[in-house]
Amino acid sequence: MKPIKVGNVNVFPFRDMQELMDYTADDKKLLLSLNAEIIMKAEGEVADIINSNIGYADGYGAIKAMCRKGGKELKRIPGCELWLELINRYHSSKTFYLIGSTEDTICATVKKLKEQYPDIQIVGYRNGFIRQASEKNALLDDIRSKKPDFVFVAMGFPVQELLMDELYKVHVATYLNLGGSFDVFTGKVSRAPKWIQNIGMEWFYRFITHPSRYKRQVVYLQFLWAYYRNRL
């Protein structure tokens, strides 16, 4: 499958989540969700990380830009759903490691997963606040020692992508960048209603429900400007 260039990054034109999971089943790489914000901000080392792995469209802006460049029958693949589908598929046969969010949230995430999948093998987890070099080194050692099949990292862009690349160098596995997915999974944060998701306005819902995020939402307007001026 040939990726489509959008801005500085390559986005693979998956038609749905099933196709993505089948395509990457035997290929241990970073699976990177891409939306308008990430596409607009990705440059330098982070863009190189994305382009060396598997970027997929987790945003309608990315889908629109890809369709303009020849993509057909493409669907948005929400990262906050993909990791759960992977767990549903592999919970009894693969091992998992979770990194991200607060201590309370990561513990609640692990507890809920074990309730839903009693046979799940979570070999390790920790919160996303890695402040000291010693903490990162301990994490690298733990990943190297426990050798999980899947590593889910929910720390926000671009911190999570840089950490995933670093972890991948000590242990080859399938890594996913998940942003605030653990908060959604545990009910700490609510997603937009389905009809808002379906019209591609989930970013606007986040803006009106969390107005303090307004600085982050400006990038979506920049994306629209670039899209309509054929600069993506």
Side-chain angles (χ1 to χ4, degrees), residues 124-137:
Y125 63 92
R126 65 149 295 145
N127 65 55
F129 296 89
I130 302 173
R131 299 183 176 91
Q132 305 292 331
S134 58
E135 292 180 280
K136 181 181 287 187
N137 291 334

Side-chain angles (χ1 to χ4, degrees), residues 9-21:
V9 299
N10 294 325
V11 191
F12 281 74
F14 296 113
R15 289 172 294 181
D16 54 36
M17 191 178 296
Q18 188 69 40
E19 183 178 44
L20 184 160
M21 291 194 295

Side-chain angles (χ1 to χ4, degrees), residues 25 28 90-96 119-122 149-150:
K28 295 183 177 181
Y90 295 116
H91 63 88
S92 62
S93 60
K94 303 290 186 180
T95 57
F96 303 89
D119 61 347
I120 192 170
Q121 300 180 69
I122 298 175
D149 296 302
F150 288 90

Side-chain angles (χ1 to χ4, degrees), residues 72 111 119 146 157 198 210 229:
K72 297 179 180 179
K111 181 176 183 291
D119 61 347
K146 293 178 176 174
F157 177 85
N198 291 339
H210 298 87
R229 291 178 66 85

Side-chain angles (χ1 to χ4, degrees), residues 64-179:
K64 294 282 285 184
M66 293 166 72
C67 288
R68 174 178 280 179
K69 296 188 175 186
K72 297 179 180 179
E73 300 179 4
L74 308 179
K75 288 185 179 179
R76 177 191 174 211
I77 303 172
C80 63
E81 297 175 11
L82 175 60
W83 74 289
L84 294 172
E85 286 299 321
L86 288 167
I87 287 177
N88 189 57
R89 176 185 280 200
Y90 295 116
H91 63 88
S92 62
S93 60
K94 303 290 186 180
T95 57
F96 303 89
Y97 201 111
L98 285 70
I99 306 164
S101 197
T102 64
E103 186 68 19
D104 286 347
T105 298
I106 192 66
C107 289
T109 298
V110 171
K111 181 176 183 291
K112 185 174 178 179
L113 287 172
K114 289 182 176 180
E115 289 171 349
Q116 292 184 352
Y117 303 98
D119 61 347
I120 192 170
Q121 300 180 69
I122 298 175
V123 297
Y125 63 92
R126 65 149 295 145
N127 65 55
F129 296 89
I130 302 173
R131 299 183 176 91
Q132 305 292 331
S134 58
E135 292 180 280
K136 181 181 287 187
N137 291 334
L139 175 60
L140 290 166
D141 289 342
D142 205 36
I143 290 286
R144 187 188 292 111
S145 171
K146 293 178 176 174
K147 296 179 170 55
D149 296 302
F150 288 90
V151 182
F152 302 127
V153 185
M155 296 171 65
F157 177 85
V159 175
Q160 60 193 1
E161 287 76 14
L162 293 168
L163 178 62
M164 290 160 63
D165 183 60
E166 200 168 347
L167 295 171
Y168 188 87
K169 290 172 182 175
V170 303
H171 171 62
V172 174
T174 301
Y175 292 77
L176 276 74
N177 61 336
L178 296 180

